Amino acid sequence: MPEDTPHDCLTATRQAYDDAAGTYARLFRGSLRDSPLDRAMLGVFVEAVRAGGGGRVGDLGCGPGHVTAYLAELGMRKDDVFGVDASPAMVELAQQAYPDIQFAVGTMGALDLPDGALAGVLSRWSIIHTPPTELPVIVAEFARVLTPGGHLLLGFSASDGAAEPVQVFDHAVAPAYRWWPDRLAALLCEHGLLEVARMVREPLPTDRRPFKEVHLLARRADTPTP
């Protein structure tokens, strides 16, 4: 049986999240309250964007918009923060919950933005449904829309070790992938996104899955890498 094409994967993932949008929003809209390390990394990201002179920040794969709204709570201008998601149902929920923030339907691999338009890109657990062969396209798009010196904060679940840098796992909504942090950092570097810091959270006994969670902060190089 042939493997799904990237279009098939995106269509299936979009439909799955459309179907689960209401439940997802109820489960996760308040999740940051119980995630102090996540809040800390989002704070570091916002400070890095400010230190670079500020500017627009895109939450790519924003879901129901709760993290996009949190960036505004951290002091970013609401006009400078926006969210993009492939699921129209998720975007509709985000617009209803946070009408003073801009949300739009779109895909991470083909953003409707000019080169260097953003001072920051946030992508929390939104790359996990991307087949490994397609992830370089998305990373290249992140690099394209970031201004030189702009920052990317990437959140994802870690694989079990360098021997298996990518592992499939049974996600509740759609097939998903875990990445070894060093391998993903190397992929970012190939596109001129240089690691600044990382935070690795060990799984808790109450976690549904015993996976390490990683936040990787990277900065777009001031000049293209050779």
Side-chain angles (χ1 to χ4, degrees), residues 64-98:
H66 58 296
V67 179
T68 323
Y70 185 70
L71 296 179
E73 290 180 27
L74 290 174
M76 298 204 70
R77 293 178 62 250
K78 291 181 179 179
D79 289 345
D80 285 339
V81 178
F82 67 95
V84 174
D85 201 276
S87 163
M90 286 288 195
V91 169
E92 183 177 358
L93 288 173
Q95 291 170 333
Q96 291 171 357
Y98 312 104

Side-chain angles (χ1 to χ4, degrees), residues 29-215:
R29 195 163 266 160
S31 59
L32 286 175
R33 287 195 302 266
D34 301 319
S35 304
L37 293 177
D38 287 22
R39 295 197 308 271
M41 284 305 298
L42 289 168
V44 168
F45 170 66
V46 168
E47 288 301 316
V49 170
R50 284 177 176 152
R56 298 192 75 201
V57 172
D59 181 6
L60 308 183
C62 65
H66 58 296
V67 179
T68 323
Y70 185 70
L71 296 179
E73 290 180 27
L74 290 174
M76 298 204 70
R77 293 178 62 250
K78 291 181 179 179
D79 289 345
D80 285 339
V81 178
F82 67 95
V84 174
D85 201 276
S87 163
M90 286 288 195
V91 169
E92 183 177 358
L93 288 173
Q95 291 170 333
Q96 291 171 357
Y98 312 104
D100 49 353
I101 296 176
Q102 180 184 354
F103 295 95
V105 177
T107 61
M108 294 184 294
L111 296 164
D112 186 18
L113 293 167
D115 295 356
L118 301 183
V121 166
L122 175 63
S123 174
R124 295 181 79 252
W125 279 264
S126 53
I127 64 164
I128 64 172
H129 300 298
T130 303
T133 56
E134 294 302 307
L135 190 55
V137 173
I138 289 175
V139 171
E141 189 71 345
F142 290 167
R144 182 187 71 79
V145 300
L146 275 172
T147 189
H151 284 82
L152 165 70
L153 181 61
L154 196 61
F156 57 97
S157 298
S159 69
D160 294 329
E164 292 186 87
V166 183
Q167 291 176 301
V168 179
F169 71 95
D170 183 20
H171 190 275
V173 179
Y177 304 86
R178 297 189 283 148
W179 283 78
W180 186 241
D182 289 348
R183 178 65 191 94
L184 199 45
L187 176 60
L188 297 181
C189 187
E190 290 171 13
H191 293 274
L193 298 167
L194 311 178
E195 181 177 355
V196 174
R198 71 175 72 174
M199 185 272 287
V200 180
R201 183 180 76 79
E202 296 292 333
L204 300 172
T206 54
D207 287 347
R208 182 183 172 196
R209 299 184 183 92
F211 302 157
K212 294 180 181 180
E213 294 187 346
V214 182
H215 281 83

